[in-house]
Amino acid sequence: MNKILIGAIGFAALVLTGCNEAERLASQVEGTWSSTPQMIVNDAGSQATMVETINFERDSAKTGGQVMIVGMVSCTGSMAGSDALVQPFEIAASAKSTVTGRWTAIDDDEIMLSLDVANMSVAIDPSGLVISSNVLTGSTQSDPEPVKPQVAAMVESALKRQLLARYTSMTKLDDVKVKDNGSVLKFEVGKTDYVYSSQNPSASLVK
């Protein structure tokens, strides 16, 4: 009987310790974090970088809650000519992506993510879309305006495929650490390392 009681007490202590560690990690990551520009596309025809902002909110459970990830994307690329632009042309565009979901800290250095990728949004900024039809001089020799909606849709679709793959695979953050008095968040997804800076007013305080 004593062995059973001791075992039960030990198990309860282990569970309590795990809960405390998860809650402590959750309290450290709660808030808003932003990355430096990350390369998300880099091939012969196009390049795209993204500054990503993650906002972790905690609910009454204390170990997790809602999460929102916003990406500000800048991209450049080249395309073959079209009926409206008979020459090859270059494009520069900016976009904003948003995906939401839930997060849960499960121990002292792991966070599970459940992102609603089906409802992820990607929107091209019309004012930031530039088309240059002369790739040598950068000048526009034919009117790009008629094809802007078509080009915007193509860029949006390409970015959405890339970001869908990114966020579909982002189901667990490993080796999560909050460092430098709460000002830096580091974690791994698979074999990729990520570093974010705190946007919280209290980032200079030890949590």
Side-chain angles (χ1 to χ4, degrees), residues 21 36 47 57 59 61 68 70 72-73 111 113 121 131-132 135-136 142 150 159 163 165 197 201-202 206:
E21 289 177 345
T36 56
Q47 293 79 40
E57 295 182 359
D59 55 25
M68 175 182 289
V70 176
M72 303 304 296
V73 184
I111 290 175
L113 286 182
S121 66
I131 301 175
S132 301
V135 299
L136 296 179
S142 56
Q150 175 188 355
L159 287 176
L163 293 172
S197 298
S202 60
V206 178

PDB file of all heavy atoms in Angstrom, residues 21 36 47 57 59 61 68 70 72-73 111 113 121 131-132 135-136 142 150 159 163 165 197 201-202 206:
ATOM      1  N   GLU A  21       6.495  23.623 -15.947  1.00  0.00           N
ATOM      2  CA  GLU A  21       7.461  23.944 -16.982  1.00  0.00           C
ATOM      3  C   GLU A  21       6.764  24.468 -18.231  1.00  0.00           C
ATOM      4  O   GLU A  21       7.214  25.437 -18.863  1.00  0.00           O
ATOM      5  CB  GLU A  21       8.303  22.711 -17.314  1.00  0.00           C
ATOM      6  CG  GLU A  21       9.275  22.318 -16.216  1.00  0.00           C
ATOM      7  CD  GLU A  21      10.040  21.050 -16.545  1.00  0.00           C
ATOM      8  OE1 GLU A  21       9.615  20.327 -17.481  1.00  0.00           O
ATOM      9  OE2 GLU A  21      11.054  20.781 -15.879  1.00  0.00           O
ATOM     10  N   THR A  36      13.944  38.864 -38.691  1.00  0.00           N
ATOM     11  CA  THR A  36      14.633  39.602 -39.735  1.00  0.00           C
ATOM     12  C   THR A  36      14.160  39.027 -41.070  1.00  0.00           C
ATOM     13  O   THR A  36      13.493  37.984 -41.089  1.00  0.00           O
ATOM     14  CB  THR A  36      16.157  39.451 -39.603  1.00  0.00           C
ATOM     15  OG1 THR A  36      16.477  38.055 -39.614  1.00  0.00           O
ATOM     16  CG2 THR A  36      16.656  40.074 -38.298  1.00  0.00           C
ATOM     17  N   GLN A  47      12.883  35.549 -56.537  1.00  0.00           N
ATOM     18  CA  GLN A  47      13.338  35.579 -55.159  1.00  0.00           C
ATOM     19  C   GLN A  47      12.252  36.247 -54.311  1.00  0.00           C
ATOM     20  O   GLN A  47      11.568  37.161 -54.774  1.00  0.00           O
ATOM     21  CB  GLN A  47      14.650  36.364 -55.010  1.00  0.00           C
ATOM     22  CG  GLN A  47      15.867  35.722 -55.667  1.00  0.00           C
ATOM     23  CD  GLN A  47      15.897  35.946 -57.169  1.00  0.00           C
ATOM     24  OE1 GLN A  47      15.577  37.028 -57.632  1.00  0.00           O
ATOM     25  NE2 GLN A  47      16.267  34.926 -57.913  1.00  0.00           N
ATOM     26  N   GLU A  57      -0.999  34.483 -27.921  1.00  0.00           N
ATOM     27  CA  GLU A  57      -1.895  34.903 -26.848  1.00  0.00           C
ATOM     28  C   GLU A  57      -2.160  33.709 -25.934  1.00  0.00           C
ATOM     29  O   GLU A  57      -2.262  32.582 -26.400  1.00  0.00           O
ATOM     30  CB  GLU A  57      -3.216  35.429 -27.406  1.00  0.00           C
ATOM     31  CG  GLU A  57      -3.081  36.695 -28.232  1.00  0.00           C
ATOM     32  CD  GLU A  57      -4.426  37.189 -28.722  1.00  0.00           C
ATOM     33  OE1 GLU A  57      -5.454  36.528 -28.429  1.00  0.00           O
ATOM     34  OE2 GLU A  57      -4.463  38.234 -29.403  1.00  0.00           O
ATOM     35  N   ASP A  59      -4.702  31.893 -23.081  1.00  0.00           N
ATOM     36  CA  ASP A  59      -6.066  31.885 -22.555  1.00  0.00           C
ATOM     37  C   ASP A  59      -6.055  31.390 -21.106  1.00  0.00           C
ATOM     38  O   ASP A  59      -5.000  31.318 -20.470  1.00  0.00           O
ATOM     39  CB  ASP A  59      -7.001  31.047 -23.436  1.00  0.00           C
ATOM     40  CG  ASP A  59      -6.494  29.619 -23.631  1.00  0.00           C
ATOM     41  OD1 ASP A  59      -5.733  29.127 -22.766  1.00  0.00           O
ATOM     42  OD2 ASP A  59      -6.866  28.989 -24.633  1.00  0.00           O
ATOM     43  N   ALA A  61      -6.216  28.571 -19.848  1.00  0.00           N
ATOM     44  CA  ALA A  61      -5.453  27.345 -19.587  1.00  0.00           C
ATOM     45  C   ALA A  61      -4.008  27.639 -19.200  1.00  0.00           C
ATOM     46  O   ALA A  61      -3.319  26.786 -18.635  1.00  0.00           O
ATOM     47  CB  ALA A  61      -5.490  26.427 -20.806  1.00  0.00           C
ATOM     48  N   MET A  68      -1.370  34.103 -34.101  1.00  0.00           N
ATOM     49  CA  MET A  68      -1.508  34.705 -35.421  1.00  0.00           C
ATOM     50  C   MET A  68      -0.122  34.948 -35.994  1.00  0.00           C
ATOM     51  O   MET A  68       0.753  35.488 -35.322  1.00  0.00           O
ATOM     52  CB  MET A  68      -2.274  36.027 -35.368  1.00  0.00           C
ATOM     53  CG  MET A  68      -2.337  36.751 -36.721  1.00  0.00           C
ATOM     54  SD  MET A  68      -3.187  38.359 -36.652  1.00  0.00           S
ATOM     55  CE  MET A  68      -4.869  37.805 -36.410  1.00  0.00           C
ATOM     56  N   VAL A  70       1.777  36.737 -39.187  1.00  0.00           N
ATOM     57  CA  VAL A  70       1.631  37.680 -40.298  1.00  0.00           C
ATOM     58  C   VAL A  70       2.975  37.797 -41.008  1.00  0.00           C
ATOM     59  O   VAL A  70       4.020  37.965 -40.357  1.00  0.00           O
ATOM     60  CB  VAL A  70       1.173  39.059 -39.807  1.00  0.00           C
ATOM     61  CG1 VAL A  70       1.132  40.061 -40.961  1.00  0.00           C
ATOM     62  CG2 VAL A  70      -0.198  38.957 -39.142  1.00  0.00           C
ATOM     63  N   MET A  72       5.130  39.851 -44.063  1.00  0.00           N
ATOM     64  CA  MET A  72       5.246  40.935 -45.039  1.00  0.00           C
ATOM     65  C   MET A  72       6.294  40.502 -46.056  1.00  0.00           C
ATOM     66  O   MET A  72       7.473  40.367 -45.739  1.00  0.00           O
ATOM     67  CB  MET A  72       5.649  42.243 -44.355  1.00  0.00           C
ATOM     68  CG  MET A  72       4.693  42.677 -43.243  1.00  0.00           C
ATOM     69  SD  MET A  72       2.967  42.850 -43.762  1.00  0.00           S
ATOM     70  CE  MET A  72       3.099  44.199 -44.934  1.00  0.00           C
ATOM     71  N   VAL A  73       5.824  40.241 -47.275  1.00  0.00           N
ATOM     72  CA  VAL A  73       6.648  39.602 -48.306  1.00  0.00           C
ATOM     73  C   VAL A  73       7.053  40.604 -49.368  1.00  0.00           C
ATOM     74  O   VAL A  73       6.231  41.418 -49.824  1.00  0.00           O
ATOM     75  CB  VAL A  73       5.886  38.438 -48.966  1.00  0.00           C
ATOM     76  CG1 VAL A  73       6.781  37.703 -49.968  1.00  0.00           C
ATOM     77  CG2 VAL A  73       5.354  37.470 -47.914  1.00  0.00           C
ATOM     78  N   ILE A 111       6.650  23.481 -28.263  1.00  0.00           N
ATOM     79  CA  ILE A 111       5.343  24.089 -28.469  1.00  0.00           C
ATOM     80  C   ILE A 111       4.673  23.404 -29.657  1.00  0.00           C
ATOM     81  O   ILE A 111       5.280  23.263 -30.725  1.00  0.00           O
ATOM     82  CB  ILE A 111       5.458  25.601 -28.741  1.00  0.00           C
ATOM     83  CG1 ILE A 111       5.891  26.328 -27.471  1.00  0.00           C
ATOM     84  CG2 ILE A 111       4.145  26.177 -29.272  1.00  0.00           C
ATOM     85  CD1 ILE A 111       6.151  27.811 -27.668  1.00  0.00           C
ATOM     86  N   LEU A 113       1.787  23.486 -32.554  1.00  0.00           N
ATOM     87  CA  LEU A 113       0.996  24.453 -33.308  1.00  0.00           C
ATOM     88  C   LEU A 113      -0.075  23.731 -34.105  1.00  0.00           C
ATOM     89  O   LEU A 113       0.163  22.656 -34.670  1.00  0.00           O
ATOM     90  CB  LEU A 113       1.875  25.234 -34.283  1.00  0.00           C
ATOM     91  CG  LEU A 113       2.814  26.310 -33.745  1.00  0.00           C
ATOM     92  CD1 LEU A 113       3.550  26.978 -34.899  1.00  0.00           C
ATOM     93  CD2 LEU A 113       2.062  27.349 -32.946  1.00  0.00           C
ATOM     94  N   SER A 121      -4.605  33.630 -45.692  1.00  0.00           N
ATOM     95  CA  SER A 121      -4.819  34.642 -46.723  1.00  0.00           C
ATOM     96  C   SER A 121      -3.492  35.192 -47.220  1.00  0.00           C
ATOM     97  O   SER A 121      -2.533  35.323 -46.452  1.00  0.00           O
ATOM     98  CB  SER A 121      -5.687  35.786 -46.188  1.00  0.00           C
ATOM     99  OG  SER A 121      -5.011  36.498 -45.168  1.00  0.00           O
ATOM    100  N   ILE A 131       5.909  46.586 -62.923  1.00  0.00           N
ATOM    101  CA  ILE A 131       6.236  45.744 -64.078  1.00  0.00           C
ATOM    102  C   ILE A 131       7.146  46.534 -65.004  1.00  0.00           C
ATOM    103  O   ILE A 131       6.811  47.639 -65.429  1.00  0.00           O
ATOM    104  CB  ILE A 131       4.970  45.312 -64.842  1.00  0.00           C
ATOM    105  CG1 ILE A 131       4.026  44.544 -63.914  1.00  0.00           C
ATOM    106  CG2 ILE A 131       5.336  44.468 -66.057  1.00  0.00           C
ATOM    107  CD1 ILE A 131       2.698  44.186 -64.559  1.00  0.00           C
ATOM    108  N   SER A 132       8.318  45.979 -65.299  1.00  0.00           N
ATOM    109  CA  SER A 132       9.266  46.580 -66.245  1.00  0.00           C
ATOM    110  C   SER A 132       9.395  45.647 -67.432  1.00  0.00           C
ATOM    111  O   SER A 132       9.832  44.501 -67.282  1.00  0.00           O
ATOM    112  CB  SER A 132      10.633  46.795 -65.598  1.00  0.00           C
ATOM    113  OG  SER A 132      10.522  47.646 -64.470  1.00  0.00           O
ATOM    114  N   VAL A 135      13.951  44.342 -69.766  1.00  0.00           N
ATOM    115  CA  VAL A 135      14.764  43.812 -68.668  1.00  0.00           C
ATOM    116  C   VAL A 135      16.188  44.351 -68.681  1.00  0.00           C
ATOM    117  O   VAL A 135      16.921  44.206 -67.714  1.00  0.00           O
ATOM    118  CB  VAL A 135      14.796  42.265 -68.710  1.00  0.00           C
ATOM    119  CG1 VAL A 135      13.396  41.709 -68.546  1.00  0.00           C
ATOM    120  CG2 VAL A 135      15.423  41.764 -70.020  1.00  0.00           C
ATOM    121  N   LEU A 136      16.586  44.989 -69.804  1.00  0.00           N
ATOM    122  CA  LEU A 136      17.934  45.533 -69.873  1.00  0.00           C
ATOM    123  C   LEU A 136      18.013  46.930 -69.269  1.00  0.00           C
ATOM    124  O   LEU A 136      18.952  47.263 -68.548  1.00  0.00           O
ATOM    125  CB  LEU A 136      18.425  45.561 -71.333  1.00  0.00           C
ATOM    126  CG  LEU A 136      18.577  44.193 -72.005  1.00  0.00           C
ATOM    127  CD1 LEU A 136      19.035  44.381 -73.456  1.00  0.00           C
ATOM    128  CD2 LEU A 136      19.598  43.343 -71.255  1.00  0.00           C
ATOM    129  N   SER A 142       5.944  49.056 -73.211  1.00  0.00           N
ATOM    130  CA  SER A 142       4.530  48.862 -73.513  1.00  0.00           C
ATOM    131  C   SER A 142       3.748  48.978 -72.220  1.00  0.00           C
ATOM    132  O   SER A 142       4.287  48.848 -71.136  1.00  0.00           O
ATOM    133  CB  SER A 142       4.297  47.501 -74.170  1.00  0.00           C
ATOM    134  OG  SER A 142       4.798  46.477 -73.357  1.00  0.00           O
ATOM    135  N   GLN A 150      -3.692  40.206 -63.836  1.00  0.00           N
ATOM    136  CA  GLN A 150      -3.262  38.842 -64.152  1.00  0.00           C
ATOM    137  C   GLN A 150      -1.946  38.519 -63.456  1.00  0.00           C
ATOM    138  O   GLN A 150      -1.773  37.444 -62.871  1.00  0.00           O
ATOM    139  CB  GLN A 150      -3.104  38.687 -65.663  1.00  0.00           C
ATOM    140  CG  GLN A 150      -2.537  37.346 -66.095  1.00  0.00           C
ATOM    141  CD  GLN A 150      -2.219  37.305 -67.579  1.00  0.00           C
ATOM    142  OE1 GLN A 150      -2.508  38.248 -68.311  1.00  0.00           O
ATOM    143  NE2 GLN A 150      -1.614  36.213 -68.021  1.00  0.00           N
ATOM    144  N   LEU A 159       2.959  32.584 -54.251  1.00  0.00           N
ATOM    145  CA  LEU A 159       3.302  32.797 -52.844  1.00  0.00           C
ATOM    146  C   LEU A 159       2.444  31.928 -51.930  1.00  0.00           C
ATOM    147  O   LEU A 159       2.925  31.384 -50.931  1.00  0.00           O
ATOM    148  CB  LEU A 159       3.126  34.263 -52.477  1.00  0.00           C
ATOM    149  CG  LEU A 159       4.172  35.237 -53.024  1.00  0.00           C
ATOM    150  CD1 LEU A 159       3.799  36.665 -52.644  1.00  0.00           C
ATOM    151  CD2 LEU A 159       5.570  34.895 -52.528  1.00  0.00           C
ATOM    152  N   LEU A 163       3.833  29.398 -49.088  1.00  0.00           N
ATOM    153  CA  LEU A 163       3.516  29.596 -47.676  1.00  0.00           C
ATOM    154  C   LEU A 163       2.650  28.470 -47.129  1.00  0.00           C
ATOM    155  O   LEU A 163       2.745  28.122 -45.949  1.00  0.00           O
ATOM    156  CB  LEU A 163       2.826  30.941 -47.478  1.00  0.00           C
ATOM    157  CG  LEU A 163       3.720  32.157 -47.750  1.00  0.00           C
ATOM    158  CD1 LEU A 163       2.902  33.442 -47.712  1.00  0.00           C
ATOM    159  CD2 LEU A 163       4.860  32.228 -46.744  1.00  0.00           C
ATOM    160  N   ALA A 165       2.964  25.332 -47.937  1.00  0.00           N
ATOM    161  CA  ALA A 165       3.920  24.274 -47.587  1.00  0.00           C
ATOM    162  C   ALA A 165       4.654  24.617 -46.292  1.00  0.00           C
ATOM    163  O   ALA A 165       4.872  23.752 -45.443  1.00  0.00           O
ATOM    164  CB  ALA A 165       4.919  24.077 -48.725  1.00  0.00           C
ATOM    165  N   SER A 197      12.819  38.655 -32.617  1.00  0.00           N
ATOM    166  CA  SER A 197      13.023  39.689 -31.600  1.00  0.00           C
ATOM    167  C   SER A 197      11.689  40.094 -31.020  1.00  0.00           C
ATOM    168  O   SER A 197      10.690  40.211 -31.724  1.00  0.00           O
ATOM    169  CB  SER A 197      13.717  40.913 -32.204  1.00  0.00           C
ATOM    170  OG  SER A 197      14.999  40.575 -32.687  1.00  0.00           O
ATOM    171  N   PRO A 201       6.632  45.687 -25.023  1.00  0.00           N
ATOM    172  CA  PRO A 201       7.233  46.798 -24.264  1.00  0.00           C
ATOM    173  C   PRO A 201       8.059  46.335 -23.080  1.00  0.00           C
ATOM    174  O   PRO A 201       9.008  46.990 -22.684  1.00  0.00           O
ATOM    175  CB  PRO A 201       5.997  47.588 -23.783  1.00  0.00           C
ATOM    176  CG  PRO A 201       4.928  47.242 -24.749  1.00  0.00           C
ATOM    177  CD  PRO A 201       5.176  45.806 -25.142  1.00  0.00           C
ATOM    178  N   SER A 202       7.721  45.171 -22.506  1.00  0.00           N
ATOM    179  CA  SER A 202       8.425  44.690 -21.313  1.00  0.00           C
ATOM    180  C   SER A 202       9.557  43.732 -21.660  1.00  0.00           C
ATOM    181  O   SER A 202      10.040  43.013 -20.803  1.00  0.00           O
ATOM    182  CB  SER A 202       7.433  43.980 -20.383  1.00  0.00           C
ATOM    183  OG  SER A 202       6.832  42.884 -21.042  1.00  0.00           O
ATOM    184  N   VAL A 206      13.209  40.864 -17.091  1.00  0.00           N
ATOM    185  CA  VAL A 206      13.294  39.429 -16.923  1.00  0.00           C
ATOM    186  C   VAL A 206      11.911  38.897 -16.563  1.00  0.00           C
ATOM    187  O   VAL A 206      11.297  39.368 -15.611  1.00  0.00           O
ATOM    188  CB  VAL A 206      14.297  39.049 -15.819  1.00  0.00           C
ATOM    189  CG1 VAL A 206      14.320  37.531 -15.637  1.00  0.00           C
ATOM    190  CG2 VAL A 206      15.675  39.564 -16.161  1.00  0.00           C
TER     191      VAL A 206
END
